[in-house]
Amino acid sequence: MRRFLRPGHDPVRERLKRDLFQFNKTVEHGFPHQPSALGYSPFLRLMAIGTRSGAIKLYGAPGVEFMGLHEENNTVMQIHFIPDQCQLVTLLDDNSLHLWSLKQHSGASELQEERRFTLKGPPGSPPSATQVTAVLPHSSRELLYLGTESGSVFVVELPSLRPLEERAVAAEAVLQRVPEDYCNRRSCELVEALREHPKNPNQILIGYSRGLIVLWDLQNSQVTHHFLGSQQLENLYWQRDGSKFISCHYDGSYTQWPVSNDNRQPEPLENVVPYGPFPCKAISKIYWQTTKNGLPYIIFQGGMPRASYGDRHSISVIHGSQQTAFDFTSRVIDFFIIFSSEPTAEFDDPSAMVVLAEEELVVIDLKSAGWPAVHPPYLASLHCSAITCSHHVSNIPLKLWERIISAGSKQNIHYSTMPWPIDGGTNLAPDPPQRDLLLTGHEDGTVRFWDASGVCLHLLYKLSTVRVFLTDADPNDNMNTLGEDEWPPLRKVGTFDPYSDDPRLGIQKIYLCKYSGYLAVAGTAGQVLVMELNDEDAEHVVDHAEADLLQDQEGYRWKGHEKLKTRDGPVRFEAGFQPFVLVQCQPPAVVTSLALHSEWKLVAFGTSHGFGLFDHQQKRLVFVKCTLHPSDQLALEGPLSRVKSLKKSLRQSFRRIRRSRVSSRKRRGAGGNTSEASPDCSAQRSRSASLSWGRGRGDVSDLQNVSFPLKVQEANAKFDQDALQEMELAPVQRKIEARSAEDSFTGFVRTLYFADTFLRDSSRHCPSLWAGTNGGTVYAFCLRVPPAERRMDEPVRAEQAKEIQLMHRAPVVGILVLDGRSTPLPEPLEVAHDLSKSPDMQGSHQLLVVSEEQLKVFTLPKVSSKLKLKLTALEGCRVRKVTVANFGSCKTSDYSENDLAVLTNLGDIQIISLPFLKLQIRYPCIRKEDVSGIASCVFTKYGQGFYLISPSEFERFSLSTKWLVEPQCIVDVPELTSNNHVNNRSGVENAARKS
Amino acid sequence: QFGAEFRRFSLDRYKPGKFEDFYKLILHIHHIASLEVMIGYADVHGDLLPINNDDNFFKAVSSAHPLLRVFIQRQDEVDYSNFGTNTLSRKKKALVTLRNDNLRRRPHLNISLPHDFRPVSSIIDVDILPETHRRVRLYRHGCEKPLGFYIRDGTSVRVTPHGLEKVPGIFISRMVPGGLAESTGLLAVNDEVLEVNGIEVAGKTLDQVTDMMIANSHNLIITVKPANQRNNIIRSSRMSGSSGQSTDSTASHHSLPTSHVLQNFHPDEMESDEEADIVIEGGLEPQHIPKLHSLTSSSLSRLNGSSLSHRLQRDLVLNNSSGRESNGNIHKLLSSLKTDPRHSLVIPRGGIEEDGTVITL
């Protein structure tokens, strides 16, 4: 019968769906993965970051951001803004140049790629002849100078990107008047740097890698000055008045050169090795900044003593007697100085230094004493310790929001008060409709609270759970103890610290009650902490309890990590969330599920062994339930992660091998063995084919490794080869077998849920706790919570009321109770705070159980199946994440409905209606290969979501037409003030007329 | 004429004797010596199998533990196609078709009976599939036998408008010795998997197809393109008997109830009762099974086995029946006799009071 009732295309519903659902990826939060280039426009006050995957991101004032992607997905090597324009040029590692523009479109700016261009040399010339090494956008805005590996400088017209061959500066022309003996030693050099004269746009400084620097006159096309450097050149920088420039070198030295009309071949003024006398590393970039008081700032990257500090990533700032070497925890990609860009200003007067390191952005305030760091409003390093879990809370009450901010502000006192110096563009986005918190748990035992309301994800407060425990590493040991007299004067900056002292501290589950301010966090070693928000520092003892989840099961030995040792006596906690209860599961397996009921003052937690309920008011364990199948040795013995990762890595290596096999077949081409693919090819044949191929590979790797003198490497290669052959023998195959009760990890508790519902009979409802396991079992416990006035006097009681074994035995990932109106039950305290209607306790309740394979609705109190939606059996996808989301119509403000948002293992998001479980719409969201992206996904209550696109970046997406947080901003061309600009403008007009 | 009645009697398990003696004994015990009857028995899986010669009599006795349940029907009313197909008859719908067929069809010849078999698999939809394809249904009887096969990625050659094209496909890569898949003889290594329960696998990854098969493992229907195309069914001669195709065709001849047109059915229908979840209410104290199985008359035997299935069967009843009307009963009965707990634990819809519940392990 049901087939006739299947959803046809109801036009009303279809229209409503269009008003409710819409999929958009709106903004990327966090720090770009693998940044490779940095650019800055003082004119637009915008910063650009390029990445190894070909992305380019522009940032200005908070909320102003743009993103572009090069089709080639090649590494962005350099980014240069065209002076006084809304344009920039990028150079990729395939030697292609791309011109991008910010164009205004219906009131907002957009970043668009305009043109692309690859420099071509004369026929027959080697590719290196046109390999671009240095780019100089000329201040006329008409020309782009391109230095190449061959030593020639090519000229390209803007914005057409048309080469002007007659203007090119050939290396031979430069070398004409260089003294004979000097030029003999240094031929065929690559162009290391191109710098325009700050006062005379007709002169450019060309620096060659072997040390020669020339000043080239553009009008006469000839060299006016020769500077015969003796060291390999790294970079050049003009002094503001154009009377001097500074060069930095591979040996860790920098040299000042005078530029005057009397001497066409001057000697250096000064040659300094700042961290000498022992051999130093190269200084790769240098700034010379003048100030009113006369003392210049010399800022350079690198130059550390090679032997003792060669591994540091440093940038040194020297200003008179002050000198600091800022020490970064990851490689420095590039940096720039923000200084007065007014052409009429006499001095540079630098205000801030912006450093792009591989893993974070650090901005140093150069105006305040002590050069403090500036707290960036965006580009937060989400991964300063690896993210282990995340939790989103929508619509935070103002009171709690303010208290969290106040707790966080006490942690940020060491930051500079300077306003954010990169402030170009205007944010047009409306104020976010509500206050949202994203909580991330980290490997080092911290929880970070992010303001996720708008486009800029920024850190409000950081909570550390480490203090509760005794760990091997004393936090005081790690303090930077370098004193004033230390040399070099290193100072650690930035927050990126990927090293965890103790992986057991890792946070696995977070639950925050936004009404009461109770927070529960649970970690890798079975620790569960319940915390309360306190606005003051406090010192108190954390109550400690142990939950033995194995109960009377005997004869098992836990082979995983030990539980964390706790600190005896009172512990001092700073203002913010302070733990008052610690429950430690025994065995100390990772906590896999967590639920907190702030009204009943109960916390429930589950591991691979079972689950327990703790009364945090009376500080008493209510009960524990072991879910372990007695034969499940794997779950008993050790941390799940180990077993799983081994399995995963095996699977991955199989895949890798398969991929390489496939691609190599492709390479062999049409001449290859075609019979291999014929359908009747027998197992033996394909096996022998793969075997011989395996041998072939082995030979190749042998050949490659012969050149390595190290025996170890040979041995490794041999091992690889053997392993490879071994794996080649076993094809990638999957076992088809029904699940059984004896499978491993069936006891693993996947989900916990509190509900006030009809568990026993339809006349009385009562508090209940629901738990779902990996083996498809749902347990329901009836709870008796004493009324508030006797809450401390009587114990909380629990009694098992139901046990449901789903026949398909798939892991239960979500449990939900729907009230008489088929609305999901409200959160604890939601009704008490007048933020939700009271649930309907008149009509009959329903139970929704979501397993990885299907969604099923049961009646309550008698559990019988009402309807279901199968996903895996029909589509082959499995449920990874599920949540209830409220969708409002974009057309009418008074209509909204609750649906389920489901993320599958294929990376699709499906919206499924409640309570009839009809698929509404499906969107592809994450690539199915991106396992960590899928695992990291978190939905909000209003149809948005976040997932990690890299260890350091969250992609934000929206399923809703109504709730959409995306950048909306405009970059206006600022008023042109100086004469210089006016001249330039006329120059442009001339150029336009010419073309 | 026959009321449903039962008799209990004993035989020497190790010396069962001859079928003819047994036949006479039966007739004698039941005082129906004048009638021609067909004797059947329920095997361990709850399937109704016939007893009509020494061999299967011996087999029946030896497999009985501890009791042999014997069914006696009038010879002329026996519907041979019922034998061995009970698994499917749990569906009411199927039953209806079954009965209609009985009215139409002539009784089969004895020789075509699958005497000692119960279905582990069947070929279905022969009429709607291309001859090169085979749709195989695997019956999983409880958990005692693993499905037992592996699948892998591979390439298959398709005829397209642009000529021959290589496309990725899913193939059977390995059979587990003794597994269900191997024992059917209908699937073989290097068979290409085209569909799982009516859903095409083209464009799906190995992992997806794996998940689909596992999700359907209780009633898995795979459409394959056999690597060996020599045993294909030849449409024009659908008569059984020609030795070359006997393995393939016997099942299909007796699989009337299974001949769903797979394209048309709604998958939910097929499994509506198959997938009943087990619900344990209250604590762990055992409860009685209320009126669930009190469908037919009195009990032939009380089993005192300790296993779940045996306990579940304790209230079940058997009858000697004859007459067409009782066919349905036999089937209901047999289905509830099945050892697979999931089938036995079907929760009757709406058949239970607010408080009273249900079934315990």
Side-chain angles (χ1 to χ4, degrees), chain A residues 30-44:
Chain A
F31 185 77
H33 187 53
Q34 296 184 318
S36 54
L38 176 71
Y40 177 67
S41 165
F43 172 72
L44 300 171

Short mmCIF file of all heavy atoms in Angstrom, two decimals, chain A residues 30-44:
data_model
loop_
_atom_site.label_atom_id
_atom_site.label_comp_id
_atom_site.label_asym_id
_atom_site.label_seq_id
_atom_site.Cartn_x
_atom_site.Cartn_y
_atom_site.Cartn_z
N GLY A 30 39.73 30.76 9.95
CA GLY A 30 40.98 30.20 10.39
C GLY A 30 42.12 30.61 9.49
O GLY A 30 42.04 31.58 8.74
N PHE A 31 43.18 29.85 9.57
CA PHE A 31 44.42 30.22 8.92
C PHE A 31 44.62 29.38 7.68
O PHE A 31 44.47 28.16 7.74
CB PHE A 31 45.57 30.02 9.91
CG PHE A 31 46.89 30.48 9.40
CD1 PHE A 31 47.18 31.84 9.39
CD2 PHE A 31 47.82 29.59 8.91
CE1 PHE A 31 48.39 32.29 8.91
CE2 PHE A 31 49.03 30.03 8.42
CZ PHE A 31 49.31 31.39 8.42
N PRO A 32 44.96 30.00 6.54
CA PRO A 32 45.09 29.23 5.29
C PRO A 32 46.13 28.12 5.42
O PRO A 32 47.19 28.33 6.01
CB PRO A 32 45.53 30.26 4.25
CG PRO A 32 45.30 31.58 4.86
CD PRO A 32 45.26 31.42 6.33
N HIS A 33 45.79 26.98 4.87
CA HIS A 33 46.70 25.85 4.91
C HIS A 33 47.83 26.07 3.92
O HIS A 33 47.59 26.45 2.79
CB HIS A 33 45.91 24.59 4.56
CG HIS A 33 46.68 23.33 4.72
ND1 HIS A 33 47.34 23.01 5.88
CD2 HIS A 33 46.90 22.32 3.87
CE1 HIS A 33 47.92 21.85 5.73
NE2 HIS A 33 47.67 21.40 4.53
N GLN A 34 49.04 25.85 4.36
CA GLN A 34 50.23 25.95 3.53
C GLN A 34 50.31 27.27 2.76
O GLN A 34 50.29 27.29 1.53
CB GLN A 34 50.28 24.79 2.54
CG GLN A 34 50.41 23.47 3.25
CD GLN A 34 50.56 22.32 2.28
OE1 GLN A 34 49.89 22.26 1.26
NE2 GLN A 34 51.46 21.42 2.59
N PRO A 35 50.42 28.37 3.49
CA PRO A 35 50.57 29.65 2.80
C PRO A 35 51.92 29.68 2.11
O PRO A 35 52.88 29.06 2.56
CB PRO A 35 50.50 30.67 3.93
CG PRO A 35 50.94 29.93 5.14
CD PRO A 35 50.50 28.50 4.95
N SER A 36 51.99 30.37 0.99
CA SER A 36 53.25 30.39 0.25
C SER A 36 53.66 31.79 -0.19
O SER A 36 54.78 31.97 -0.65
CB SER A 36 53.12 29.48 -0.99
OG SER A 36 52.01 29.88 -1.75
N ALA A 37 52.79 32.77 -0.08
CA ALA A 37 53.18 34.11 -0.52
C ALA A 37 52.34 35.14 0.21
O ALA A 37 51.23 34.86 0.65
CB ALA A 37 52.95 34.25 -2.03
N LEU A 38 52.92 36.34 0.32
CA LEU A 38 52.26 37.42 1.04
C LEU A 38 52.40 38.70 0.23
O LEU A 38 53.46 38.94 -0.38
CB LEU A 38 52.92 37.59 2.42
CG LEU A 38 52.45 38.73 3.33
CD1 LEU A 38 51.05 38.44 3.85
CD2 LEU A 38 53.40 38.89 4.50
N GLY A 39 51.36 39.49 0.21
CA GLY A 39 51.44 40.79 -0.46
C GLY A 39 50.66 41.80 0.33
O GLY A 39 49.79 41.45 1.14
N TYR A 40 50.99 43.09 0.13
CA TYR A 40 50.30 44.14 0.87
C TYR A 40 50.19 45.36 0.00
O TYR A 40 51.13 45.71 -0.73
CB TYR A 40 51.05 44.46 2.16
CG TYR A 40 50.43 45.59 2.96
CD1 TYR A 40 49.18 45.43 3.56
CD2 TYR A 40 51.09 46.81 3.12
CE1 TYR A 40 48.60 46.45 4.29
CE2 TYR A 40 50.51 47.84 3.85
CZ TYR A 40 49.27 47.66 4.44
OH TYR A 40 48.70 48.67 5.15
N SER A 41 49.04 46.00 0.06
CA SER A 41 48.87 47.25 -0.65
C SER A 41 48.68 48.36 0.37
O SER A 41 47.63 48.43 1.02
CB SER A 41 47.64 47.18 -1.56
OG SER A 41 47.29 48.47 -1.98
N PRO A 42 49.68 49.26 0.54
CA PRO A 42 49.50 50.37 1.47
C PRO A 42 48.39 51.30 1.01
O PRO A 42 47.78 52.00 1.81
CB PRO A 42 50.86 51.08 1.47
CG PRO A 42 51.71 50.40 0.49
CD PRO A 42 50.97 49.27 -0.14
N PHE A 43 48.15 51.31 -0.28
CA PHE A 43 47.13 52.17 -0.86
C PHE A 43 45.72 51.68 -0.47
O PHE A 43 44.88 52.44 -0.01
CB PHE A 43 47.32 52.17 -2.37
CG PHE A 43 46.23 52.86 -3.14
CD1 PHE A 43 46.11 54.25 -3.11
CD2 PHE A 43 45.36 52.13 -3.93
CE1 PHE A 43 45.11 54.87 -3.84
CE2 PHE A 43 44.37 52.76 -4.66
CZ PHE A 43 44.25 54.13 -4.61
N LEU A 44 45.49 50.37 -0.64
CA LEU A 44 44.17 49.82 -0.30
C LEU A 44 44.09 49.38 1.15
O LEU A 44 43.01 49.13 1.66
CB LEU A 44 43.87 48.60 -1.20
CG LEU A 44 43.84 48.83 -2.70
CD1 LEU A 44 43.73 47.50 -3.42
CD2 LEU A 44 42.67 49.72 -3.06
#
